[in-house]
Amino acid sequence: MTSINDTRQISIPEQKKALWLSTLAFTLCFAVWTIFSILGIKLKQELGLSDTELGLLMATPILTGSVSRLFLGVLTDRFGGRWVFGLLMLTTSIAVYSLSIASSYTLLLLAALGIGLAGGGFIVGVTYVSNWYEQGKQGTALGIFGAGNVGSSLTSFVAPFLLLAVGWQATAQIYALVLACMGVGFILFAKADPVHSKRQTYSIPLFEQLAPLSDIRVWRFSLYYFFVFGAFVALALWLPHYLMEVYHLDLATAGIVAGLYTVPASLFRVLGGWLSDKYGARKVMYWTLIASVLCTFLLSYPPTQYQVQGIDRTYTFSFETHLLVFVLLTFILGFFMSLGKAAVFKHIPAYYPNHVGVVGGAVGMVGGLGGFFLPLTFGMLNDVVGIWQSSFMLLFVVCVLALTWMHFAIRRAEHTEWFQGQRITDLPEMVSEDTFVLEDWRPEDQQFWQTTGKRIAKRNLWISIPNLFLAFAVWSIWSIMVVQMPHLGFTYSSNQLFWLAALPALSGATLRIFYGFMIPIFGGRRWTALSTASLLLPCLWMGVALQNTETSYLVMLILALLCGLGGGNFSSSMANISFFYPKVEKGAALGLNAGLGNLGVSGMQLFAPLMISSSVFGSLGGTPLEMLSDNGEIHLVWLQNAAFIWVPFIAIAAIAAWFGMNDIADAKSSLKEQAVVFKRSHTWIMCWLYLGTFGSFIGFAAGFPLLCGLLFPDIDPVKYAFIGPLAGALTRPLGGILADKFGGARVTLWSFIIMGAGVAGVLYFLPDETSNFVGFFAMFILLFSATGIGNGSTFRMVPVMFLALRSRALGQGQEKQAEIEGNRESAAVIGFISAIAAYGGFFIPKAYGSSIAFTGSVHMALYGFIVFYISCVAVTWWYYARPKAVVPC
């Protein structure tokens, strides 16, 4: 691969100056990044924080530092490391100072978000340093730079003594002053990197910068870095607390002992870089993961007492990991982690010389996210499992998975080497990518469609549907959880429960904005598989958190937000399927994909209540909670099964998408090309209309069980909740078929009229002196059915509309180009309007909650819905349904 980097004219003193300045800066940044590992213990004592709140405070800077790495990598690729690194340190120093004047837990969290930017300095330094060195020396140079991880040891050794001498506020101020001085010094004394001048004349477009993120190799490196770096950060934060609780050490001693882990996990990174240069990163990664599996297994073993029944007596003995053995094992673990960190980053400048910032940012982001999620999970495992060693048990599982995947990849490499007669120095892709890319795709060509295209399109559709089904199931889990939680000992108010029901829709809607543009960048097959696999995170984490009624409400909020990953999938799934079908069949295809995918909501609401009533997974599924019925009987409830039940299906669906779906070459486009849809007025008009159809569907689905339980306390809403979303899902394909036959605008218009009438019916049957649940429920079924038909018809309108608009703009003789641009724009619009519409899943439950809070009833919210549907009728008629409409569709 050709690089714009040419290091032949760089002197050795210049290289050394850049390396040591960057290493010093990164060391100080890392010391700041892990400041809560020591200060957090003091803050816990002063503010009375729980273990989970302490874990969240420790993990928040890791989250910011992780997510910011991708963006900082892009900025460094564009503007160079000198100014980005210097300004980053100055910005972070302000956040560190604000920590010293924070007076509440909320302000501490806000300061922690800013402090996290220090962790993003890693990718800035990697990009800056790699530009000063030739490929044969980059491993060693980056190993020396990466040794700046020793900053966590600096905090472990120095912060306890500063804390005891001057207090935590002054300690934070000292850290802020030192980092600010380093930021100014870096700007003054560091030089622009060698490619700075070339960067000014050779500007890489953003789309080209982000292109390597579609390579599976990048995400394989990310998995390894999740363990070698994410687990390192997590343990650096967790060990002082662990040592104080398990071995009863004082704060200063715990900090010193923890330093014996963090020092080798930092300094020996230099050795890891040298070994990677000399022997290859493959061997170093093998050593790392094998040794880590052994260490984490031994560290996972809890204190145990044994009784052996002899012939005439019972022999009793015990096993416990002594402190010296524990220190030795963590030292070894830290040593091999340091080698692994260097090995991972050895590959990046070699394979992506022009994209070190972006690729390194993505890998570093995933690794940093490990440092965010793992401490939180450690705290929850303590609460649920009740064993301190459960943190190392989790790391053992992660390491085994990484080693298994790596070994599988290496075996495939050896297989390829044997048959091709060549040596492959890097781990290969799991499969050949080219076999999944459709270079020639002409769905509007009837001969091609009937002989080739239809079969391929159907296969992709029927693999896409179960993936979308699971996404909707995960997205809507909280609609059932919030109904059950008050009866199981979770002490949340009604408003807090409405927040938990609404937040997945809020995050899912926001994610849809980005997901909708991912298909042309990553490809439909890759993105479907990866986005589905991401659903494992909230499901596994929820399965643990829901076993303990003492789990912090903040953690529940985070989990509710993570369930939004399922909501984001819809926009990318619909955009992907729209590329496969000709315009005359798009309505039915999109209706099937969305309609059967929407069944995930009703499927979850139907099966989840059945799964939580029995021990489906036995002892592997954890312990149940107790529910006291009205007659005094105790019922066991496995609430965690509502999340665990989807885990195996998610894994199967993601694998099926990876190996069974296709990417379309013509579907590739940049963010700039897709962003043109924001200039189209009809994009924003369709946002309003789709908010009325799909926004109503997902909002009613999220809020109906809780609303029903509040209005009709004698009715168990769990028994009926699934019927409404089922009706909406099943009628969605019908809406697409009717739109293909009669026109999307006409069908959409009548859908809104019926929805307005349905809300009026709900108002009529609201309980007053006498309750009429049958009428109330029937009106909601009518509403759900109308939303389903409207969902199908609005999605039929979009491709017809944008194909007509592009044909008008390009004129005669440009039919093929109009088709390409129309498909591209309609796919982007479908993704974007589905993102905006998903906010309905947030606004409708919150409208219920706010209406009840302000007026004592839901009347105000329902009257607002009627006014909104009247506006949708007017807009649809004026722009699309009336004679001589602007765009008849």
Side-chain angles (χ1 to χ4, degrees):
M1 181 178 292
T2 304
S3 171
I4 62 174
N5 186 5
D6 185 359
T7 60
R8 288 174 295 181
Q9 304 302 319
I10 303 172
S11 67
I12 293 178
E14 287 180 320
Q15 290 179 326
K16 289 183 176 179
K17 179 182 178 182
L19 175 59
W20 292 112
L21 266 177
S22 300
T23 303
L24 176 59
F26 177 53
T27 301
L28 296 177
C29 283
F30 212 90
V32 168
W33 198 31
T34 56
I35 192 173
F36 284 110
S37 63
I38 300 299
L39 262 61
I41 297 172
K42 187 67 174 177
L43 290 169
K44 179 186 179 184
Q45 296 171 353
E46 289 195 8
L47 299 179
L49 306 180
S50 67
D51 278 352
T52 304
E53 287 174 326
L54 175 61
L56 181 62
L57 186 62
M58 288 179 170
T60 297
I62 311 305
L63 176 64
T64 313
S66 304
V67 174
S68 66
R69 288 183 175 190
L70 181 59
F71 306 104
L72 289 171
V74 173
L75 290 174
T76 308
D77 276 341
R78 284 178 173 263
F79 303 110
R82 178 191 174 202
W83 280 100
V84 175
F85 213 166
L87 293 175
L88 176 69
M89 286 184 276
L90 290 173
T91 303
T92 307
S93 67
I94 297 173
V96 179
Y97 180 80
S98 68
L99 173 66
S100 68
I101 58 175
S103 57
S104 68
Y105 183 68
T106 302
L107 293 176
L108 288 174
L109 285 176
L110 291 174
L113 285 170
I115 290 171
L117 291 173
F122 171 73
I123 193 54
V124 181
V126 165
T127 310
Y128 180 72
V129 170
S130 65
N131 285 331
W132 287 93
Y133 284 85
E134 59 270 29
Q135 189 176 119
K137 296 182 180 179
Q138 283 175 339
T140 304
L142 292 177
I144 294 171
F145 170 77
N149 287 167
V150 78
S152 61
S153 302
L154 186 64
T155 290
S156 296
F157 284 119
V158 175
F161 296 101
L162 283 175
L163 195 63
L164 295 174
V166 297
W168 69 268
Q169 291 93 343
T171 300
Q173 292 169 0
I174 292 171
Y175 269 65
L177 177 62
V178 172
L179 192 63
C181 291
M182 186 67 226
V184 173
F186 197 88
I187 293 173
L188 293 177
F189 298 111
K191 294 179 60 177
D193 61 70
V195 299
H196 179 72
S197 58
K198 294 182 180 180
R199 189 183 292 114
Q200 306 306 310
T201 57
Y202 179 73
S203 179
I204 302 176
L206 181 61
F207 172 67
E208 186 178 333
Q209 274 190 285
L210 298 176
L213 299 186
S214 63
D215 293 347
I216 188 62
R217 179 193 293 124
V218 174
W219 303 104
R220 185 174 59 250
F221 293 162
S222 300
L223 172 67
Y224 305 149
Y225 207 61
F226 180 88
F227 176 76
V228 295
F229 179 75
F232 159 71
V233 173
L235 286 177
L237 293 169
W238 188 253
L239 275 181
H241 183 53
Y242 182 95
L243 289 164
M244 291 175 68
E245 296 294 337
V246 176
Y247 293 103
H248 310 294
L249 304 181
D250 59 73
L251 176 60
T253 306
I256 293 173
V257 174
L260 296 178
Y261 158 75
T262 54
V263 168
S266 305
L267 294 181
F268 287 108
R269 188 164 183 164
V270 181
L271 177 62
W274 180 81
L275 291 172
S276 296
D277 283 339
K278 185 173 179 63
Y279 299 106
R282 177 192 294 186
K283 290 183 179 180
V284 176
M285 282 305 305
Y286 241 138
W287 301 339
T288 294
L289 294 177
I290 290 174
S292 297
V293 165
L294 294 174
C295 288
T296 52
F297 175 78
L298 294 173
L299 289 167
S300 299
Y301 212 86
T304 309
Q305 291 186 341
Y306 298 90
Q307 286 188 339
V308 179
Q309 298 295 330
I311 297 174
D312 56 358
R313 58 177 294 189
T314 299
Y315 297 91
T316 302
F317 61 96
S318 62
F319 174 84
E320 183 176 1
T321 304
H322 191 273
L323 177 60
L324 292 178
V325 177
F326 179 86
V327 173
L328 177 62
L329 287 173
T330 53
F331 181 91
I332 296 171
L333 180 64
F335 170 78
F336 280 101
M337 280 181 165
S338 67
L339 302 187
K341 284 183 284 188
V344 172
F345 268 87
K346 162 65 178 173
H347 287 88
I348 294 173
Y351 285 90
Y352 304 98
N354 298 336
H355 304 87
V356 175
V358 172
V359 176
V363 172
M365 178 182 69
V366 173
L369 287 175
F372 170 73
F373 286 115
L374 287 174
L376 281 176
T377 309
F378 291 167
M380 285 193 298
L381 285 174
N382 272 6
D383 294 335
V384 175
V385 180
I387 299 175
W388 276 100
Q389 289 74 19
S390 58
S391 55
F392 291 104
M393 295 176 187
L394 175 62
L395 295 183
F396 171 75
V397 172
V398 173
C399 191
V400 167
L401 290 174
L403 179 60
T404 302
W405 186 12
M406 180 179 180
H407 183 65
F408 176 78
I410 288 178
R411 294 290 293 176
R412 288 190 64 85
E414 293 171 346
H415 182 78
T416 304
E417 291 170 357
W418 176 268
F419 283 98
Q420 295 184 1
Q422 60 179 345
R423 179 168 181 78
I424 298 176
T425 57
D426 180 39
L427 303 182
E429 304 309 323
M430 294 179 66
V431 291
S432 173
E433 300 292 327
D434 295 338
T435 59
F436 296 99
V437 178
L438 302 174
E439 299 290 347
D440 180 25
W441 189 249
R442 294 170 282 116
E444 301 296 343
D445 184 332
Q446 282 299 305
Q447 183 177 359
F448 173 84
W449 176 249
Q450 294 298 331
T451 58
T452 305
K454 191 172 185 178
R455 171 179 52 82
I456 297 173
K458 281 187 174 181
R459 186 183 72 245
N460 279 268
L461 173 62
W462 289 107
I463 294 176
S464 173
I465 287 171
N467 279 269
L468 190 56
F469 177 97
L470 292 167
F472 270 95
V474 173
W475 195 24
S476 55
I477 279 179
W478 286 96
S479 64
I480 290 295
M481 293 298 101
V482 295
V483 177
Q484 298 288 351
M485 291 171 78
H487 307 295
L488 295 170
F490 292 91
T491 55
Y492 303 146
S493 67
S494 296
N495 195 45
Q496 286 177 316
L497 292 173
F498 272 118
W499 268 109
L500 289 176
L503 278 179
L506 181 64
S507 62
T510 305
L511 287 172
R512 283 185 174 197
I513 296 174
F514 303 100
Y515 276 43
F517 295 97
M518 292 298 104
I519 296 301
I521 295 175
F522 286 90
R525 177 186 68 89
R526 291 189 187 98
W527 189 253
T528 301
L530 292 173
S531 60
T532 299
S534 71
L535 302 177
L536 292 171
L537 175 61
C539 285
L540 291 171
W541 198 1
M542 283 178 65
V544 175
L546 291 170
Q547 296 180 46
N548 183 13
T549 58
E550 299 300 320
T551 299
S552 167
Y553 182 66
L554 283 172
V555 172
M556 293 299 185
L557 290 177
I558 293 172
L559 289 171
L561 288 169
L562 284 175
C563 285
L565 291 170
N569 285 9
F570 179 78
S571 59
S572 57
S573 178
M574 296 297 283
N576 181 45
I577 293 302
S578 71
F579 282 111
F580 281 93
Y581 281 83
K583 64 180 181 180
V584 295
E585 296 188 33
K586 284 184 187 291
L590 293 174
L592 281 171
N593 189 54
L596 298 182
N598 289 167
L599 281 175
V601 178
S602 57
M604 187 281 306
Q605 293 180 342
L606 172 63
F607 292 116
L610 300 176
M611 294 301 104
I612 66 177
S613 63
S614 60
S615 180
V616 178
F617 301 101
S619 59
L620 294 176
T623 56
L625 299 174
E626 294 183 352
M627 178 187 292
L628 185 65
S629 63
D630 294 336
N631 59 10
E633 294 182 358
I634 295 178
H635 298 281
L636 298 181
V637 177
W638 287 262
L639 196 61
Q640 65 269 25
N641 286 355
F644 279 152
I645 191 63
W646 305 111
V647 169
F649 298 106
I650 290 170
I652 293 171
I655 293 171
W658 185 265
F659 291 103
M661 296 185 73
N662 296 97
D663 299 319
I664 297 177
D666 285 345
K668 292 286 186 181
S669 63
S670 67
L671 288 172
K672 182 178 180 180
E673 290 172 320
Q674 295 180 79
V676 71
V677 300
F678 296 123
K679 301 178 181 178
R680 315 289 192 216
S681 60
H682 294 282
T683 300
W684 302 101
I685 296 172
M686 290 307 299
C687 283
W688 188 257
L689 298 184
Y690 199 56
L691 179 64
T693 55
F694 179 79
S696 298
F697 168 80
I698 197 63
F700 290 144
F704 175 77
L706 189 55
L707 178 67
C708 181
L710 291 174
L711 296 179
F712 299 91
D714 296 332
I715 301 295
D716 182 4
V718 173
K719 296 179 179 178
Y720 307 98
F722 74 94
I723 299 177
L726 177 64
L730 292 178
T731 56
R732 182 159 188 159
L734 175 62
I737 294 170
L738 290 174
D740 283 339
K741 185 174 180 63
F742 299 108
R746 185 180 303 175
V747 176
T748 301
L749 181 72
W750 280 103
S751 296
F752 284 127
I753 293 173
I754 295 172
M755 289 164 67
V759 176
V762 171
L763 277 165
Y764 179 79
F765 288 111
L766 284 177
D768 40 33
E769 290 79 9
T770 59
S771 297
N772 191 338
F773 175 73
V774 174
F776 174 86
F777 185 65
M779 288 300 100
F780 261 105
I781 296 301
L782 178 65
L783 271 173
F784 275 111
S785 300
T787 62
I789 293 173
N791 286 334
S793 59
T794 47
F795 262 27
R796 173 67 175 89
M797 293 169 64
V798 171
V800 174
M801 180 189 308
F802 280 85
L803 178 60
L805 290 171
R806 296 317 299 151
S807 297
R808 289 181 191 176
L810 295 175
Q812 292 184 348
Q814 297 293 320
E815 289 79 7
K816 178 61 178 177
Q817 184 62 27
E819 178 186 335
I820 293 174
E821 292 186 16
N823 283 338
R824 182 185 298 153
E825 290 191 16
S826 63
V829 170
I830 284 172
F832 182 67
I833 68 172
S834 69
I836 300 302
Y839 284 109
F842 172 76
F843 289 124
I844 288 180
K846 280 305 298 171
Y848 292 152
S850 299
S851 181
I852 292 172
F854 289 123
T855 68
S857 73
V858 295
H859 288 75
M860 183 177 69
L862 295 173
Y863 284 125
F865 297 161
I866 291 177
V867 172
F868 173 70
Y869 293 141
I870 291 173
S871 75
C872 291
V873 170
V875 168
T876 305
W877 180 81
W878 178 259
Y879 285 100
Y880 308 117
R882 68 183 174 91
K884 298 183 180 180
V886 179
V887 186
C889 55

